[in-house]
């Protein structure tokens, strides 16, 4: 089997300052499917075409941001192997028992050099929609509710020591570097896009003095038309849009960024490069960062580098 190790982003737990407006946004504007609420008040969602029970978990808290970002690994043996490999690399790991999150098996939690909590897990209950696994239709009614992405796709996280993150992800977790931005010194990597698949990225990091910050969680749409439709839906609901619709130079994805009611940035995007681990990573110079972010306008939107939660 070609796919082993880390399979894909599995879930993100996001902090929101008020639960009801957040649930309205994620369920009815973004168009995720609510799949449960737990005894501590967290609300669980999946995208309509995802099969596992949850990919976005909202937790009410005093400040917005990200609690943790989790990747699904191939199986339980793989999870134990990562546990050993991480410890051997000097990373302290904490075991979170099965059931701490709804429909989710045991998780391995650890802090990465940028100050983010990452998790690995291998088991999550599959809850396909009726008919999804037998002569399925290409879409269901849920695919028309709100923006309705097909999956939670990646996150961009801001924090210090991103080059140590690069070492951890490539040397222990089996990721490879797809693209990077070189700082004005002409050699230090200041932004990194990393893949565990053939996607342009499964996670990305930008160097930033404050640890553990969320830049955005991104959701995949199927077409440029759906990006434009997402823009319409965001405006109809008076959601603050930051950038787009436009195209990134970096990854070549087509995108819109906006903010949830707590100020957490999200992205809906489509397309982009496909990557393979034998390919050398693409370098972007600091001077071309504006076109890397917004290719048509060649514009480094100031808020993109400064606003994080
Ligand atoms: C993405 C993406 C920058 C580009 C960001 C790209 C920092 O968020 O999904 O490809 O220029
Ligand atoms: Fe993104």
């Amino acid at each position: 089997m070609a796919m082993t190790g880390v399979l894909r982003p599995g879930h993100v737990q996001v902090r929101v300052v008020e639960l009801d407006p957040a649930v309205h946004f994620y369920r009815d504007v973004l168009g995720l499917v609510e799949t449960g609420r737990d005894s501590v008040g967290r609300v669980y969602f999946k995208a309509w075409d995802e099969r596992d029970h949850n990919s976005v978990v909202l937790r009410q808290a005093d400040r917005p941001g990200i609690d943790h970002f989790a990747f699904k690994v191939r199986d339980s043996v793989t999870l134990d192997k990562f546990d050993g490999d991480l410890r051997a690399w000097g990373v302290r790991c904490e075991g979170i028992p099965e059931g701490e999150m709804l429909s989710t098996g045991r998780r391995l939690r650890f802090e990465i050099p940028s100050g983010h909590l990452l998790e690995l897990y291998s088991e999550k209950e599959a809850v396909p929609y009726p008919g999804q696994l037998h002569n399925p239709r290409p879409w269901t009614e849920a695919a028309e509710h709100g923006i309705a992405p097909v999956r939670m796709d990646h996150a961009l996280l801001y924090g210090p020591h991103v080059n140590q993150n690069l070492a951890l992800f490539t040397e222990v977790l089996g990721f490879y570097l797809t693209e990077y931005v070189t700082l004005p010194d002409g050699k230090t990597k200041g932004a990194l896009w990393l893949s565990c698949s053939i996607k342009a990225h499964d996670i990305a990091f930008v160097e930033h003095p404050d640890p553990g910050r969320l830049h955005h969680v991104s959701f995949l749409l199927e077409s440029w038309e759906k990006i434009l439709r997402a823009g319409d839906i965001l405006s109809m609901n008076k959601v603050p849009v930051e950038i787009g619709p436009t195209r990134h130079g970096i990854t070549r994805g087509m995108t819109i960024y906006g903010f949830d009611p707590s100020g957490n940035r999200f992205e809906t995007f489509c397309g982009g490069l496909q990557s393979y681990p034998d390919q050398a990573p693409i370098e972007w110079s600091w001077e071309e960062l504006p076109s890397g972010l917004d290719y048509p306008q060649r514009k480094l939107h100031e808020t993109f580098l400064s606003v994080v939660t």
Side-chain angles (χ1 to χ4, degrees):
M1 184 183 309
M3 284 199 78
T4 58
V6 177
L7 297 180
R8 60 173 177 273
H11 63 255
V12 59
Q13 185 167 303
V14 174
R15 294 190 298 269
V16 296
V17 292
E18 279 190 287
L19 203 54
D20 290 346
V23 169
H24 170 69
F25 170 76
Y26 283 92
R27 186 186 58 203
D28 300 321
V29 181
L30 189 53
L32 302 179
V33 179
E34 185 179 332
T35 55
R37 299 194 182 207
D38 68 18
S39 60
V40 294
R42 290 176 297 186
V43 186
Y44 294 67
F45 301 89
K46 68 192 266 297
W48 71 269
D49 205 28
E50 287 175 325
R51 299 180 190 183
D52 285 357
H53 179 273
N54 57 74
S55 58
V56 174
V57 182
L58 302 182
R59 182 175 75 86
Q60 185 161 22
D62 294 342
R63 60 190 176 98
I66 183 168
D67 280 337
H68 62 260
F69 192 80
F71 291 96
K72 192 174 195 186
V73 306
R74 191 69 188 86
D75 53 28
S76 178
V77 173
T78 307
L79 190 58
D80 288 335
K81 181 172 185 312
F82 278 126
D83 194 357
D85 292 351
L86 284 161
R87 285 170 203 273
W89 214 74
V91 177
R92 241 185 333 168
C93 296
E94 182 192 357
I96 311 288
E98 174 180 0
E100 193 277 337
M101 274 178 54
L102 292 184
S103 298
T104 305
R106 68 187 170 104
R107 289 129 64 202
L108 188 63
R109 177 181 289 178
F110 53 98
E111 187 174 329
I112 58 174
S114 56
H116 299 91
L117 289 181
L118 227 81
E119 292 186 352
L120 304 178
Y121 69 93
S122 60
E123 306 298 327
K124 193 174 300 224
E125 184 191 359
V127 287
Y129 61 75
Q132 189 173 12
L133 305 183
H134 183 71
N135 303 330
R137 298 176 178 191
W139 47 273
T140 70
E141 305 80 67
E144 298 200 297
H145 181 70
I147 292 171
V150 289
R151 69 171 180 237
M152 191 276 286
D153 186 88
H154 66 265
L156 173 58
L157 305 177
Y158 274 36
H161 313 306
V162 299
N163 287 280
Q164 292 175 34
N165 281 2
L166 172 62
L168 175 66
F169 272 79
T170 55
E171 292 170 23
V172 186
L173 299 176
F175 285 61
Y176 63 99
L177 184 65
T178 58
E179 304 201 27
Y180 61 94
V181 177
T182 309
L183 294 178
D185 70 7
K187 50 178 198 283
T188 312
K189 295 179 178 68
L192 315 164
W193 283 258
L194 287 154
S195 181
C196 63
S197 62
I198 63 163
K199 289 158 59 183
H201 59 317
D202 289 288
I203 194 160
F205 297 102
V206 170
E207 186 75 25
H208 187 77
D210 303 333
R213 296 309 177 117
L214 172 65
H215 188 274
H216 67 266
V217 178
S218 188
F219 298 90
L220 179 67
L221 300 177
E222 300 116 302
S223 67
W224 173 239
E225 282 70 23
K226 291 204 170 164
I227 301 285
L228 299 178
R229 177 177 172 276
D232 293 341
I233 291 171
L234 294 174
S235 187
M236 287 172 196
N237 287 278
K238 308 221 168 11
V239 173
V241 168
E242 180 189 35
I243 301 176
T246 186
R247 181 212 274 279
H248 292 304
I250 299 169
T251 76
R252 284 192 209 156
M254 286 146 276
T255 182
I256 302 179
Y257 291 110
F259 295 98
D260 80 6
S262 298
N264 295 303
R265 189 186 283 94
F266 65 90
E267 174 181 41
T268 58
F269 86 107
C270 73
L273 286 166
Q274 291 192 349
S275 310
Y276 284 93
D278 62 305
Q279 294 168 340
I282 294 167
E283 178 185 12
W284 289 82
S285 63
W286 185 253
E287 301 72 52
E288 284 300 318
L289 179 57
S291 59
L293 175 59
D294 184 338
Y295 203 78
Q297 294 197 82
R298 310 180 62 75
K299 187 170 166 189
L300 187 57
H301 303 256
E302 193 279 324
T303 51
F304 193 86
L305 288 182
S306 57
V307 176
V308 288
T309 53

